[in-house]
Amino acid sequence: MAAKIDKELCCYCGGCASVCPFSALELKGTYVKCDPEKCVDCGICVKICPVGAIEVKGQRGENK
Ligand code: SF4
Ligand code: SF4
């Protein structure tokens, strides 16, 4: 399982990486990498992203 990050929208704030309880997300300079081995599709990162750049299980967050 994995969170999909829209690179066009992501502003590299690092918020998603800091809230993921499973340390599945890692901010690497100008992109966020999701480790599919660690991600459990909980959706917490979807809610925290300020620009709605993350999609998990077909659910996308809002641009706040
Ligand atoms: S869906 Fe949950 S486990 Fe997967 S990257 Fe987001 S916060 Fe982490
Ligand atoms: S919370 Fe959203 S904007 Fe911030 S690094 Fe993650 S995907 Fe990018």
Side-chain angles (χ1 to χ4, degrees):
M1 294 177 266
K4 275 200 283 180
I5 319 287
D6 187 327
K7 288 176 186 165
E8 301 289 314
L9 290 174
C10 177
C11 57
Y12 326 120
C13 70
C16 55
S18 64
V19 298
C20 176
F22 304 93
S23 303
L25 297 169
E26 194 182 346
L27 183 62
K28 293 189 167 241
T30 56
Y31 75 100
V32 177
K33 188 169 170 277
C34 182
D35 184 342
E37 300 281 318
K38 293 181 181 171
C39 177
V40 300
D41 283 355
C42 71
I44 291 173
C45 58
V46 174
K47 296 192 185 88
I48 203 81
C49 178
V51 294
I54 310 180
E55 190 180 316
V56 172
K57 278 202 218 157
Q59 291 191 327
R60 186 106 176 210
E62 291 167 32
N63 194 333
K64 293 166 190 150

